[in-house]
């Protein structure tokens, strides 16, 4: 009997020990057991096509960030309480939405990436949004800012490195109203990014009592603006606002400089992001006195609480790559920084926890792109863009921030001198 | 009224240039029944040739014209003898050429990306004149007029080639019936090779002006130009090179009118016209009969 009891106790103790071990194995060491050997960030880039230049810059910025964190052993992942190296899985969509659709799906279903990041711009981001939502993955959206993306609450979309395009032209609108410019022509590409900016600007101007004298869309593929500019001139505008991608801006400035026409104010988006590309194609003379959105690193942030300030970033980037960073390089890098913070604060390794981590840092974080502030729809409401003017300096051009007054580095030259 | 005039004159200039863009494709199809899907890529190469001459050597981009002709010979001759006779022997040369030239187009584009990168390149704005020339009070940049003039000369040259030279007669005979032409003693391969060279050279010449008419040249513009060229030659008449002029004019005027009055829909215009014309007149505006495939 005694021996029987002794056996029973031994069995019980062994059972308890075994279950205790099992429990402890399922608790703390579970992290180590399930932690991936690398954090796979899946994204796309365009080696060719209309978005190749900005897309490759964005990827370069991300790679620069990844190389930096991997040098220190990887990114800290709170859910596993350890650093894990980052691996970027990137496919070439050739600026095609059809190809991008297939490749985004491949990243999710075949490569099983841990984080899904969109390619540059609204056009190539638009096809990623439904795929991410369908697979319950958070889409990290660096530069897709079309206002239509952010019309309802979602856990699966976060606009990281560029404000939603509905916000972009507010300062521009205020600038136009402050300068009492009454005749405004707006020509825009018919895509989410540009059309939503046109809508916001029109609304802002109309609120201030200015009704645009010309307000028309053109196809995103538009490459000849000669007749369009002539049609715009027939409405006698003081300011011509052209919302397009870099390819459109090049064609627009070519046509404008060849037309012999002059407007008191000309605004376009990409001189502030890809000045070197624009300058190479249309020359400094055609760009002189153009107004634009200056995007960091042109706008300097000296008091960040996440990542480097602008100056050291520019210095380190230039030393590493032998060229100064442009806006899209910076956007790619900033996206990496935000993801790093997200992984470092999300308590579990799930997409919903990632999203919550982004919401938690919203309004409390300043990077070299400015204040990071997203709403429940995933729209970026921080990182506001001022208005700058491209002014001749020697043989080149420099940016002068002209509005709002608290950020201005100089006064606007209006009307712009004819050249 | 002034806007309408401007759109019409602009449309004619733009359309004549686009006749040049499309005419090489139509010539090659008319003579060889080959669908040259790499046509836009040959135009792109012409643009990059002019870019290299202008930016690299400081020459006027117009030197790109003889370069395009030389390029036509260097590319067209081996391409013909390496590919076309084999295609002609197949059961379905049109479909096979479709696939083969698609591959060639992709290869050219990949090589262009490798050589020139993915970004846009432009030519010096004032190289073809920095002023404007007016007609009926409507002014257009000098570069448009130069592009139009060169296009007219190239098309006129092609017309004279067809109507005044023995090679041109032989080319027309082959376009009418390849086998009968061979039976009458025409050296079909030699004449066809020359047609391919001319077709590629015309594409290259058009490429010289692409940076002026569509803003810039980049390695990815080829497919779009091929598609536009197809629309133009089908509007005019598939297989009839001179019908391309009509197609180009319809395309140019249609596009510019749409830009003036309904700009959002301007890139729809050529394809809407294409649909309408094919439905009403399947052989194209200048087609005499439905072509024989």
């Amino acid at each position: 009997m005694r021996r029987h009891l002794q056996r029973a106790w031994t069995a019980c103790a062994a059972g308890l020990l075994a279950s205790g071990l099992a429990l402890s194995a399922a608790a703390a060491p579970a992290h180590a057991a399930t932690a991936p050997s690398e954090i796979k960030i899946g994204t796309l880039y365009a080696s060719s096509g209309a978005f190749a230049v900005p897309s490759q810059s964005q990827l370069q910025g991300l790679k620069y960030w990844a190389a930096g964190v991997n040098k220190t052993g990887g990114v800290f992942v709170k859910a596993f309480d350890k650093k894990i190296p980052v691996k970027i899985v990137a496919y070439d969509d050739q600026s095609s939405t059809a190809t991008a659709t297939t490749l985004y799906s491949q990243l999710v279903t075949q490569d099983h990436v841990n984080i899904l990041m969109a390619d540059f711009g609204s056009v190539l981001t638009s096809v990623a949004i439904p795929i991410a939502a369908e697979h319950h993955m958070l889409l990290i959206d660096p530069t897709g800012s079309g206002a239509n993306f952010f019309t309802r609450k979602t856990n699966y979309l976060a606009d990281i490195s560029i404000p939603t395009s509905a916000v972009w032209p507010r300062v521009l609108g205020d600038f136009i109203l402050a300068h009492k410019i009454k005749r405004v022509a707006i020509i825009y590409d018919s895509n989410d990014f540009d059309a939503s900016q046109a809508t916001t600007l029109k609304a802002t101007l109309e609120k201030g009592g200015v009704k645009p004298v010309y307000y028309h869309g053109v196809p995103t593929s538009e490459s000849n603006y000669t007749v369009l500019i002539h049609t715009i001139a027939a409405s006698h505008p003081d300011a011509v606002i052209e919302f397009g991608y870099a390819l459109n801006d090049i064609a627009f400035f070519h046509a404008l400089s060849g037309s012999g026409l002059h407007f008191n104010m000309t605004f376009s988006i990409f001189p502030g992001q890809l000045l070197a590309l624009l300058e190479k194609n249309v020359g400094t003379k055609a760009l002189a006195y153009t107004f634009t959105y200056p995007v960091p690193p042109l706008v300097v942030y000296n008091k960040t609480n996440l990542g480097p300030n602008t100056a050291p970033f520019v210095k380190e980037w230039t030393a590493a790559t032998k060229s100064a960073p442009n806006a899209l390089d910076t956007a790619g890098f900033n996206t990496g920084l935000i993801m790093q913070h997200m992984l470092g604060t999300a308590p579990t390794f799930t997409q919903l926890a990632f999203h919550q981590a982004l919401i938690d840092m919203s309004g409390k974080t300043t990077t070299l792109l400015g204040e990071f502030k997203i709403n429940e729809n995933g729209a970026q409401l921080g990182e506001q863009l001022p208005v700058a003017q491209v002014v001749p300096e020697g043989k080149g051009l420099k940016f002068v921030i002209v509005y709002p007054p608290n950020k201005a580095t100089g006064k606007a030259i209006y009307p712009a001198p004819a050249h | 009224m002034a806007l309408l005039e401007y759109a019409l004159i602009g449309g004619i200039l733009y359309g004549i240039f686009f006749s040049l863009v499309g005419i090489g494709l139509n010539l090659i199809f008319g003579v060889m029944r080959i669908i040259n899907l790499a046509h836009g890529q040959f135009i792109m190469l012409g643009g990059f040739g002019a870019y290299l001459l202008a930016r690299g050597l400081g020459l006027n981009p117009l030197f790109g014209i003889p370069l395009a002709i030389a390029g036509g010979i260097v590319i067209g001759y081996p391409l013909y003898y390496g590919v076309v006779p084999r295609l002609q022997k197949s059961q379905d040369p049109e479909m096979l050429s479709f696939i083969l030239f698609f591959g060639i187009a992709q290869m050219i584009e990949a090589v262009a990306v490798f050589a020139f990168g993915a970004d846009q390149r432009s030519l010096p704005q004032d190289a073809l004149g920095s002023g404007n020339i007016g007609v009926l009070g409507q002014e257009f940049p000098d570069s448009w007029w130069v592009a139009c003039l060169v296009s007219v000369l190239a098309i006129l040259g092609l017309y004279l080639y067809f109507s005044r030279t023995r090679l041109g007669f032989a080319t027309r005979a082959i376009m009418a019936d390849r086998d009968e032409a061979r039976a009458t003693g025409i050296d079909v391969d030699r004449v066809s090779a020359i047609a391919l060279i001319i077709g590629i050279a015309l594409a290259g010449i058009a490429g010289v002006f692409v940076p002026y008419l569509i803003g810039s040249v980049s390695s990815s513009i080829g497919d779009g130009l091929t598609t536009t060229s197809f629309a133009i030659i089908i509007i005019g008449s598939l297989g009839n090179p001179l019908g391309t002029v009509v197609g180009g004019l319809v395309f140019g005027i249609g596009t510019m009118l749409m830009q003036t009055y309904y700009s959002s829909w301007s890139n729809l215009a050529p394809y809407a016209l294409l649909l309408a014309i094919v439905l009403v007149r399947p052989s194209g505006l200048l087609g005499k009969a439905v072509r024989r495939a």
Side-chain angles (χ1 to χ4, degrees):
Chain A
M1 181 69 186
R2 197 171 168 180
R3 193 177 286 174
H4 184 73
L5 277 173
Q6 197 173 359
R7 268 191 206 152
W9 274 111
T10 310
C12 260
L16 280 170
L17 185 66
S19 57
L21 281 172
L23 274 173
S24 57
H31 291 162
T34 53
S37 59
E38 55 196 9
I39 302 294
K40 281 200 268 186
I41 299 174
T43 190
L44 304 183
Y45 69 98
S47 71
S48 58
F51 308 114
V53 176
S55 169
Q56 288 179 43
S57 286
Q58 181 177 292
L59 181 65
Q60 195 186 359
L62 181 75
K63 281 181 174 173
Y64 179 80
W65 163 79
V69 294
N70 283 341
K71 260 187 208 166
T72 63
V75 64
F76 176 72
V77 183
K78 187 182 181 188
F80 303 119
D81 196 27
K82 63 189 268 196
K83 280 190 169 183
I84 301 174
V86 169
K87 183 186 177 187
I88 296 171
V89 183
Y91 295 122
D92 180 6
D93 58 34
Q94 300 173 332
S95 299
S96 155
T97 48
T99 309
T101 305
T102 310
L103 293 175
Y104 282 125
S105 293
Q106 186 175 323
L107 285 169
V108 176
T109 60
Q110 304 299 313
D111 296 300
H112 302 290
V113 296
N114 304 113
I115 298 173
L116 183 65
M117 178 177 142
D119 196 347
F120 161 81
S122 299
V123 174
L124 295 171
T125 300
S126 63
V127 292
I129 293 169
I131 294 170
E134 183 188 341
H135 293 278
H136 295 163
M137 283 204 76
L138 170 65
L139 179 67
I140 298 291
D141 165 15
T143 48
S145 62
N148 292 342
F149 302 165
F150 312 109
T151 52
R152 65 183 72 167
K153 190 178 174 192
T154 176
N155 294 322
Y156 302 113
L157 177 63
D159 176 8
I160 302 294
S161 294
I162 209 165
T164 168
S165 50
V167 173
W168 285 41
R170 284 186 190 159
V171 179
L172 171 64
D174 292 343
F175 170 82
I176 291 170
L177 294 172
H179 283 75
K180 302 191 185 333
I181 300 169
K182 297 290 180 196
R183 300 187 67 83
V184 181
I186 302 170
I187 181 166
Y188 61 93
D189 280 12
S190 302
N191 58 56
D192 291 325
F193 171 62
D194 295 302
S196 49
Q197 291 202 52
T199 306
T200 303
L201 180 61
K202 185 170 178 257
T204 307
L205 292 178
E206 286 181 347
K207 216 170 164 183
V210 174
K211 191 175 184 329
V213 293
Y214 179 97
Y215 183 79
H216 288 287
V218 294
T220 303
S221 59
E222 188 57 68
S223 58
N224 191 306
Y225 284 79
T226 299
V227 169
L228 288 162
I229 285 171
H230 187 85
T231 312
I232 290 168
S235 63
H236 306 293
D238 290 315
V240 176
I241 314 297
E242 187 263 323
F243 290 131
Y245 281 106
L247 187 71
N248 310 100
D249 289 4
I250 290 169
F252 174 79
F253 282 109
H254 260 306
L256 182 58
S257 64
S259 70
L261 294 166
H262 172 73
F263 302 109
N264 289 339
M265 174 186 174
T266 308
F267 176 96
S268 75
I269 297 170
F270 277 84
Q273 294 190 30
L274 298 170
L275 182 65
L277 177 72
L278 271 286
E279 213 174 341
K280 185 175 75 178
N281 275 281
V282 303
T284 52
K285 202 174 151 189
L287 290 170
Y289 304 107
T290 297
F291 290 82
T292 188
Y293 301 124
V295 178
L298 296 172
V299 179
V300 174
Y301 286 95
N302 292 324
K303 288 180 183 170
T304 64
N305 59 17
L306 178 64
N309 290 341
T310 306
F313 167 73
V314 171
K315 193 176 168 190
E316 283 166 25
W317 176 286
T318 308
T321 66
K322 311 295 176 211
S323 64
N326 65 32
L328 279 314
D329 296 327
T330 314
F333 174 77
N334 183 69
T335 305
L337 277 182
I338 298 289
M339 287 192 288
Q340 184 177 351
H341 194 268
M342 174 188 86
L343 290 166
T345 53
T348 57
F349 198 70
T350 63
Q351 301 292 317
L352 288 177
F354 294 164
H355 178 253
Q356 190 55 48
L358 293 179
I359 294 289
D360 290 344
M361 54 194 285
S362 173
K364 301 169 199 155
T365 308
T366 302
T367 69
L368 75 172
L369 289 192
E371 186 191 18
F372 176 84
K373 188 179 179 186
I374 58 170
N375 67 11
E376 60 182 13
N377 298 350
Q380 179 60 245
L381 303 176
E383 302 171 1
Q384 296 253 345
L385 301 171
V387 175
Q389 191 171 24
V390 186
V391 177
E393 185 182 52
K395 285 184 178 175
L397 297 164
K398 69 168 184 178
F399 286 92
V400 177
I401 299 173
V402 295
Y403 205 82
N406 63 340
K407 286 188 180 166
T409 57
K411 279 191 79 173
I413 300 171
Y414 179 86
H419 49 82
Chain B
M1 193 60 190
L3 282 181
L4 179 64
E5 272 178 22
Y6 196 84
L8 286 174
I9 296 169
I12 290 168
L13 294 174
Y14 199 63
I16 290 172
F17 169 69
F18 268 90
S19 304
L20 179 64
V21 167
I23 203 163
L25 179 66
N26 213 357
L27 174 67
I28 291 168
F29 181 81
V31 175
M32 283 158 270
R33 295 292 183 235
I34 277 176
I35 300 166
N36 176 16
L37 274 190
H39 181 72
Q41 277 71 21
F42 290 128
I43 297 173
M44 175 261 287
L45 288 181
F48 275 123
Y51 173 82
L52 286 177
L53 290 175
R55 300 286 189 192
L57 302 176
L59 297 173
N60 189 292
L62 290 177
F63 283 102
I65 294 173
L67 183 67
I69 295 168
I73 296 167
V74 170
I75 297 170
Y77 193 79
L79 186 62
Y80 181 84
Y81 285 103
V83 170
V84 178
R86 289 161 207 262
L87 282 176
Q88 301 290 357
K89 284 179 197 159
S90 69
Q91 292 277 330
D92 189 353
E94 282 183 32
M95 180 49 76
L96 205 59
S97 68
F98 197 82
I99 297 163
L100 192 132
F101 276 86
F102 174 74
I104 291 173
Q106 297 307 306
M107 280 172 57
I108 294 173
E109 189 170 321
V111 170
V113 170
F114 185 72
F116 299 102
D119 57 343
Q120 291 77 24
R121 310 291 175 102
S122 300
L123 294 174
Q125 186 70 13
D126 54 358
L128 303 183
S130 55
N132 283 269
I133 297 173
V135 166
L136 301 174
Q138 308 299 338
E139 293 195 338
F140 285 88
D142 293 347
S143 54
W144 279 51
W145 294 99
V146 175
C148 182
L149 180 69
V150 171
S151 302
V152 168
L153 290 175
I155 293 163
L156 196 64
L158 188 64
Y159 174 76
L160 293 173
Y161 174 76
F162 279 139
S163 59
R164 301 286 169 88
T165 67
R166 289 174 64 85
L167 271 174
F169 296 148
T171 309
R172 285 163 62 192
I174 294 169
M175 288 166 80
D177 193 307
R178 195 173 181 85
D179 292 331
E180 275 184 25
R182 198 185 296 276
T184 58
I186 292 172
D187 186 345
V188 169
D189 282 335
R190 180 170 158 266
V191 174
S192 299
I194 291 169
L196 185 64
I197 288 167
I198 294 171
I200 292 173
L202 288 169
I205 292 169
V208 171
F209 300 99
V210 155
Y212 292 102
L213 271 292
I214 64 170
S216 59
V217 60
S218 70
S219 46
S220 58
I221 59 169
D223 291 341
L225 286 168
T226 303
T227 312
T228 305
S229 302
F230 261 114
I232 288 168
I233 66 174
I234 292 169
I235 289 169
S237 171
L238 197 59
N240 175 0
L242 297 178
T244 312
V245 179
V246 176
L249 285 171
V250 170
F251 167 78
I253 293 170
T255 303
M256 292 305 160
L257 285 175
M258 289 295 281
Q259 276 198 354
T260 304
Y261 297 107
Y262 301 99
S263 57
S264 299
W265 301 91
S266 61
N267 65 347
L268 193 72
Y271 305 103
L273 285 167
L274 172 75
L275 269 178
I277 289 167
V278 166
L279 284 173
V280 175
R281 201 174 160 85
S283 56
L285 289 175
L286 285 198
K288 287 178 183 164
V290 175
R291 69 176 177 79
R292 284 183 288 162

